[in-house]
Amino acid sequence: MSPLHAAVRRAQGKRVTVGFDGFIDTIARPVRRTASAAAPAEPFPTIPDFGRYLAEHGGKSCSVALTVERRQLGGNLPHLSRAAGTLGLDVSCVGMLGDPAIDPVFRDMPCRLYSFAPAGQATALEFADGKVFLATDVPCPSDPWAYVTARVPEAPALFRDADLIALVNWSELDLSQPLWEAVFEQVLRPGPADPGRYAFFDLCDCTRRTSDELGRVLTLIGAFGQKRTAVLSLNENEALDCGRKLVSGTSCLPEIMQALRARYGMQEVLVHTLHETLLQTPRGLTRMPTQFVPQPKISTGAGDHFNGASCLALLAGLPDADRVRFAGAFASAYVRTGRTPTLDETLDTL
């Protein structure tokens, strides 16, 4: 057994707690040309193709048919948690998973499920080059942490005792900022610093958030870095948005990553794009091509699968290059096959 295989297997069973979203996704493809006797329906192949169609109908009206492929669990928490649980981590989810009972769509997740609210609803429009999410707003209670802990009394202990906490989907949920602040102030701040444990963050698409809001959450992530090793994971769009708003408008990914680490104090920044992955740590910059999938079976949840595998690689203590390789192989297999691969399948591809 190789050192990588042995390290990954030793990490199985480590405790991970994830908060706080949860959606039910309707996966659909917008139809460019309806079916006829001679040919099946033809979807819009790319986001720009669909965008041009919409732009051409500005000032007018249009109707877009959807080919619905399936209804499935959605949101960052469910996808990341399912990925991490399938890889063998001991995952607890504190999220919007059904009220009063867990919604059946989440019940096959290999995780412990703790729900404090009904799941949100979203439609994911799939294209060959990405996806467009249409999601409903989620109401924010006046005291989100009190609301969560009243329904999930175990939440403080779950976050306190985890080897890794993952806080995700800050951008889409108004309750994320106060919840993340509460986890730090009420759970982590009173305890000792432990750099051998981790706090992992995924902002989600932050383009609709202001520079001040973005700076505020990054400052909070830096505060987590005083108690745990803090890791910020961004896709290319999110990283470039940070560059536009906070790093003198630069579009150079390594410059953005180094500036975020220096300015806000998180230890590591991870950026995954369609064609490469970059990891900036105190040990330097790792940059590696991804296993690009030109005809994806699915793209919804790909970044969350990358993050779930990154969490296992972190807990396994893998070298930076192996962390990137492992997470990339896992996410590419998911995109290529449309299902969450097992640990053995992922190790076989390496």
Side-chain angles (χ1 to χ4, degrees), residues 240-288:
L240 293 175
D241 191 57
C242 288
R244 283 190 296 269
K245 293 173 178 174
L246 302 173
V247 191
S248 303
T250 182
S251 60
C252 174
L253 294 178
E255 288 182 13
I256 294 169
M257 298 165 75
Q258 184 56 41
L260 295 179
R261 287 187 62 243
R263 183 177 302 176
Y264 296 103
M266 69 278 294
Q267 285 85 351
E268 301 186 4
V269 178
L270 185 61
V271 175
H272 48 98
T273 79
L274 283 177
H275 298 286
E276 66 174 340
T277 301
L278 301 89
L279 173 61
Q280 180 78 56
T281 75
R283 298 169 293 279
L285 176 68
T286 298
R287 194 166 192 168
M288 190 175 295

Side-chain angles (χ1 to χ4, degrees), residues 112-132:
R112 295 184 180 88
L113 305 180
Y114 303 87
S115 182
F116 62 86
Q121 302 293 321
T123 299
L125 305 182
E126 286 273 349
F127 303 89
D129 61 340
K131 56 190 177 293
V132 176

Side-chain angles (χ1 to χ4, degrees), residues 16-17 50 63 67 80 82 88 112 118 122 161 184-185 222 254 265 274 277-278 298 302 333 344 346:
V16 174
T17 300
F50 187 50
S63 173
T67 299
L80 187 155
R82 183 172 63 181
R112 295 184 180 88
D161 298 338
F184 178 72
E185 294 291 344
L274 283 177
T277 301
L278 301 89
I298 189 173
D344 286 339
T346 306

Side-chain angles (χ1 to χ4, degrees), residues 170 177 209-219 245-246 264:
W170 167 81
Q177 182 76 28
R209 294 285 195 152
T210 67
S211 300
D212 288 344
E213 290 173 318
L214 189 55
R216 182 180 167 203
V217 74
L218 293 178
T219 299
K245 293 173 178 174
L246 302 173
Y264 296 103

Side-chain angles (χ1 to χ4, degrees), residues 146-201:
Y147 185 85
V148 168
T149 55
R151 288 155 181 80
V152 185
E154 307 93 334
L158 290 171
F159 285 103
R160 183 187 62 242
D161 298 338
D163 298 299
L164 180 149
I165 64 173
L167 299 179
V168 297
N169 207 348
W170 167 81
S171 297
E172 293 182 344
L173 298 179
D174 290 339
L175 49 76
S176 289
Q177 182 76 28
L179 285 178
W180 291 19
E181 290 172 353
V183 171
F184 178 72
E185 294 291 344
Q186 300 189 37
V187 179
L188 296 192
R189 184 191 282 277
D194 186 352
R197 293 198 279 174
Y198 300 92
F200 189 96
F201 300 90

Side-chain angles (χ1 to χ4, degrees), residues 12-344:
Q12 291 188 298
K14 294 269 191 177
R15 294 168 299 177
V16 174
T17 300
V18 189
F20 287 95
D21 75 341
F23 284 84
I24 296 173
D25 285 349
T26 299
I27 308 297
R29 295 186 185 270
V31 176
R32 179 165 68 177
R33 193 166 291 113
T34 56
S36 67
E42 177 187 338
F44 285 92
T46 68
I47 294 173
D49 290 324
F50 187 50
R52 282 190 289 271
Y53 174 83
L54 296 179
E56 289 167 359
H57 289 79
K60 301 183 279 291
S61 298
C62 65
S63 173
V64 178
L66 297 178
T67 299
V68 175
E69 297 184 344
R70 62 192 168 280
R71 179 180 181 267
Q72 65 176 35
L73 61 80
N76 298 100
L77 175 149
H79 280 298
L80 187 155
S81 300
R82 183 172 63 181
T86 300
L87 289 171
L89 293 172
D90 182 356
V91 181
S92 297
C93 305
V94 181
M96 300 155 35
L97 304 171
D99 184 24
I102 301 293
D103 191 283
V105 78
F106 301 112
R107 287 182 182 163
D108 66 344
M109 292 170 59
C111 313
R112 295 184 180 88
L113 305 180
Y114 303 87
S115 182
F116 62 86
Q121 302 293 321
T123 299
L125 305 182
E126 286 273 349
F127 303 89
D129 61 340
K131 56 190 177 293
V132 176
F133 274 107
L134 307 174
T136 57
D137 284 336
V138 176
C140 182
S142 57
D143 187 339
W145 183 243
Y147 185 85
V148 168
T149 55
R151 288 155 181 80
V152 185
E154 307 93 334
L158 290 171
F159 285 103
R160 183 187 62 242
D161 298 338
D163 298 299
L164 180 149
I165 64 173
L167 299 179
V168 297
N169 207 348
W170 167 81
S171 297
E172 293 182 344
L173 298 179
D174 290 339
L175 49 76
S176 289
Q177 182 76 28
L179 285 178
W180 291 19
E181 290 172 353
V183 171
F184 178 72
E185 294 291 344
Q186 300 189 37
V187 179
L188 296 192
R189 184 191 282 277
D194 186 352
R197 293 198 279 174
Y198 300 92
F200 189 96
F201 300 90
D202 181 5
L203 301 180
C204 197
D205 182 4
C206 46
T207 51
R208 67 186 179 95
R209 294 285 195 152
T210 67
S211 300
D212 288 344
E213 290 173 318
L214 189 55
R216 182 180 167 203
V217 74
L218 293 178
T219 299
L220 176 61
I221 291 172
F224 273 90
Q226 300 168 15
K227 293 293 185 176
R228 301 284 188 271
T229 294
V231 182
L232 172 62
S233 181
L234 304 165
N235 65 24
E236 184 174 18
N237 177 53
E238 293 153 8
L240 293 175
D241 191 57
C242 288
R244 283 190 296 269
K245 293 173 178 174
L246 302 173
V247 191
S248 303
T250 182
S251 60
C252 174
L253 294 178
E255 288 182 13
I256 294 169
M257 298 165 75
Q258 184 56 41
L260 295 179
R261 287 187 62 243
R263 183 177 302 176
Y264 296 103
M266 69 278 294
Q267 285 85 351
E268 301 186 4
V269 178
L270 185 61
V271 175
H272 48 98
T273 79
L274 283 177
H275 298 286
E276 66 174 340
T277 301
L278 301 89
L279 173 61
Q280 180 78 56
T281 75
R283 298 169 293 279
L285 176 68
T286 298
R287 194 166 192 168
M288 190 175 295
T290 62
Q291 300 176 21
F292 179 66
V293 181
Q295 293 184 314
K297 186 84 170 179
I298 189 173
S299 60
T300 302
D304 302 307
H305 277 68
F306 179 90
N307 287 338
S310 295
C311 291
L312 178 64
L314 263 175
L315 292 168
L318 297 184
D320 293 347
D322 285 343
R323 284 169 53 190
V324 171
R325 281 202 314 132
F326 180 82
F330 183 79
S332 293
Y334 168 76
V335 171
R336 186 174 59 254
T337 64
R339 64 175 182 83
T340 302
T342 66
L343 177 60
D344 286 339

